[in-house]
Amino acid sequence: MNRDILDNYVRRMSYIRTLSSPTISELENAGDYSSKLRENFDRIGDLAAENKRALEDVIFPFTQSDEPLSDEEIAFIRELNESMADEKVADNLDKVVISLINDRLMRDAQSKGDISYLLHELHSRVVVCHTFLTITGRISNNKAISEDFRYRGLEAAQKAMEYLEPDKFDELPDDARYNVLAVTMIYPGFWATQSGIARDEAHHYVEELDRAYNIYENDYYRDACPEYDWEAYRFRVLGQYGVILDSLYRTEISEDDIQVISHRLADQDAMFEEDPKKCSKWCSRQVVELRRYRAMYLNGEFDDEEYSRVMLELYRNRDRDAFDHDNLYVNVYSVVYGSLALTPARIRERNKDLLGQYYNDVCDYVFKMSDNVPLSEMLGLYTPLLFNFIEIPGRTTFEDMVIRSLAAFHPTTYVHSLMVAQISACLCSHLIDAHPEYFIGMLDYRTVDDVKRAREAILNFTYHAGLCHDFGKLPIVDTVYIYGRKLLDFEFDIIRQHPDLGAELMEKHESTRLYADIARGHHRWYDNSKGYPEDYNTNTSQFKTIIDIVACADCMDAATDSIGRSYNTEKNLDDFIEEVIEGTGTRYAPYLPGLFEDPAVRDDMDYILSDGRNLNYRNAYMLLREVRKPQEPV
């Protein structure tokens, strides 16, 4: 084990995150933004190459070795993992390496038969698996991806909780007992996901929390661990009942379960009332109230009007300039919980204005978020807002909300979306002129004359389809954000879900519904022989031509821009056209090479890829500089 190499890997990963998000206030003008990004990503490429060597030469061999570790090595590796898992910088570093190192320590503990060592690593594995379950749980269209983490986490938790048996618990030193107790608080969370929870999963969650709470009420454990902070344990387990509500969305829950949840959250509220100074160290009063009011509403203790009133009061009292965990939660979940009381069928005019204000404010809040805010945590809170978004025609559309959110969370994906929209519309314009017959059958255009008459409508449709094509990346942008090394297989699996995930989100809303096919198909090859999702045949869509145009535009922008890509060297337009010619009829539509032979098309592409791209980065810069002061809702 080379300590210097491991330490330097951690430092590089932290530095790479800083480089990928230059501080806007330190740039003198918009023109500096794209120049700085290009300069930084050139540097990121060098750092990523160093990381690749460190992974292949040292880190991967170390994590795959079964040589016994010394006490000194174990202490150093734990310290390294803890520094990478620090919630303040977690998104700067590498959760995968944390996981691999934890696996290595697990094997070492098992081989030595050291129970205290083993329980420490079982606790660590539960935390790591829960972290990955939280990330992959945002993928609503393919929950199989998260199942491996759920299985491994539950397996580790169940092994640790075997030591709750009194005859085994008696034999443990205090630190090992505390690890077992910590696992009992995390274990129930494996039945929740950030893309929603089913009625039976909610019931199971309640049952497991009851099991954890019974430990607090059991005199045996309190006598066995007199120095343990049992009040903190009780408070946190009670709070976990509220976490169930965070995953509940519009799913029905049994009357018995919601009564239990409401009762437990009332107990937590009473604890806070009794000793606010102590409880505020564990959780803010606003978080407690937010979940308590939600439970009361679901339990029938509030009617719609009263619930809206108390939620609005909490929303108005939030700190819109604070970004610690509790304030992140209140700023985002006051919007999520408030909107869950509404359905499109019964929204009144005042609700429309309120929702519009909610969505504007939460988006502005994300824009003001500093790089020190853990991205994964913010995405975990923000994803339910996307799944429960209520579109307000003429005021707040899903398309507008996601575009602004992309700009706030990941400016490079925002610029990429603008580029794909412009390239797609330009190619579409030239294709209508050259071969209008390719658009017959789309949106009931039955003849060439229909297509020609609808030219502007088709171009507008194509532009917006390109703009929306990567909407599915937003819930998983923390995986997209990995620049310091090549992605591992399971991370590719996560990213491969974004076409289906985007289509699922878009199909719910009038502003984006017609673009869902394009989002779903933009990574499929023209002949459907390759690409993803593998079970989608683009020939079944009336928008086949638009899908193929957007797919080409997506590849063109990705190939010709180094920003956001730490491994691939950018190509020029001629190189990309050669790629299109080589892939004609397989990867790319057969009419594309003919289009690129037209000097007008080449001239348009040259402009979009140079001056047009610079203007789009300027647009991103201006958005990021914008910090509006939200008005109070009416």
Side-chain angles (χ1 to χ4, degrees), residues 525-526 577-590:
W525 285 25
Y526 167 78
I577 291 173
E578 283 300 315
E579 177 186 303
V580 172
I581 292 171
E582 291 174 7
T584 297
T586 53
R587 183 169 189 172
Y588 297 104

Side-chain angles (χ1 to χ4, degrees), residues 22-267:
T23 303
I24 297 297
S25 60
E26 295 176 359
L27 302 175
E28 292 186 6
N29 54 63
D32 289 345
Y33 183 57
S34 60
S35 298
K36 186 65 175 176
L37 279 172
R38 291 184 194 286
E39 176 187 325
N40 286 3
F41 271 94
D42 285 344
R43 178 65 179 134
I44 288 172
D46 295 336
L47 295 170
E50 292 181 51
N51 279 350
K52 179 182 178 183
R53 288 192 293 272
L55 286 165
E56 292 179 349
D57 296 345
V58 176
I59 296 176
F60 287 158
F62 166 72
T63 59
Q64 292 162 7
S65 169
D66 286 321
E67 288 293 318
L69 298 172
S70 68
D71 290 345
E72 181 184 5
E73 288 174 321
I74 293 168
F76 165 70
I77 294 166
R78 282 181 176 175
E79 181 182 343
L80 184 78
N81 254 12
E82 287 171 5
S83 69
M84 286 196 289
D86 186 334
E87 64 180 12
K88 295 180 181 178
V89 294
D91 293 312
N92 291 333
L93 306 178
D94 198 332
K95 298 179 181 70
V96 169
V97 170
I98 293 174
S99 176
L100 294 173
I101 290 175
N102 172 246
D103 289 347
R104 173 73 174 90
L105 293 173
M106 277 282 295
R107 294 198 307 275
D108 190 57
Q110 289 170 329
S111 69
K112 292 175 179 176
D114 184 329
I115 298 303
S116 291
Y117 182 11
L118 178 62
L119 286 171
H120 183 283
E121 300 314 319
L122 284 170
H123 177 207
S124 296
R125 175 170 285 185
V126 170
V127 172
V128 167
C129 289
H130 190 268
T131 297
F132 280 116
L133 179 66
T134 299
I135 293 170
T136 57
R138 302 182 213 128
I139 305 172
S140 58
N141 58 292
N142 190 346
K143 295 193 176 183
I145 291 178
S146 61
E147 282 307 305
D148 180 56
F149 297 112
R150 187 192 306 275
Y151 173 79
R152 293 180 67 212
L154 288 174
E155 182 182 50
Q158 287 161 353
K159 285 181 180 178
M161 290 193 299
E162 289 175 3
Y163 290 88
L164 286 170
E165 294 295 328
D167 59 333
K168 294 182 179 180
F169 201 78
D170 286 340
E171 300 298 318
L172 298 178
D174 283 347
D175 62 334
R177 292 177 179 180
Y178 298 166
N179 278 314
V180 174
L181 292 172
V183 167
T184 65
M185 288 191 285
I186 305 170
Y187 175 75
F190 283 99
W191 274 271
T193 71
Q194 290 173 322
S195 60
I197 187 171
R199 181 186 175 112
D200 59 337
E201 291 170 326
H203 179 68
H204 203 144
Y205 203 157
V206 170
E207 287 185 325
E208 295 303 330
L209 282 173
D210 285 346
R211 179 182 177 186
Y213 194 76
N214 288 338
I215 290 172
Y216 164 78
E217 294 186 318
N218 191 318
D219 290 340
Y220 163 75
Y221 295 104
R222 295 168 67 85
D223 292 340
C225 301
E227 301 300 318
Y228 189 67
D229 192 341
W230 284 104
E231 287 305 294
Y233 180 94
R234 181 190 180 209
F235 187 88
R236 287 170 175 149
V237 172
L238 290 173
Q240 282 276 356
Y241 286 89
V243 176
I244 298 175
L245 305 179
D246 296 349
S247 301
L248 201 56
Y249 304 170
R250 300 185 191 279
T251 305
E252 289 187 2
I253 186 170
S254 74
E255 289 185 9
D256 289 344
D257 285 339
I258 193 57
Q259 285 177 7
V260 170
I261 292 171
S262 186
H263 173 72
R264 296 299 196 194
L265 293 180
D267 287 346

Side-chain angles (χ1 to χ4, degrees), residues 105 156 253 352 360 380 429 442 456 476 516 525 538 559:
L105 293 173
I253 186 170
K352 293 177 183 178
N360 283 334
S429 175
M442 187 180 99
E456 292 306 313
I476 57 170
W525 285 25
T538 59

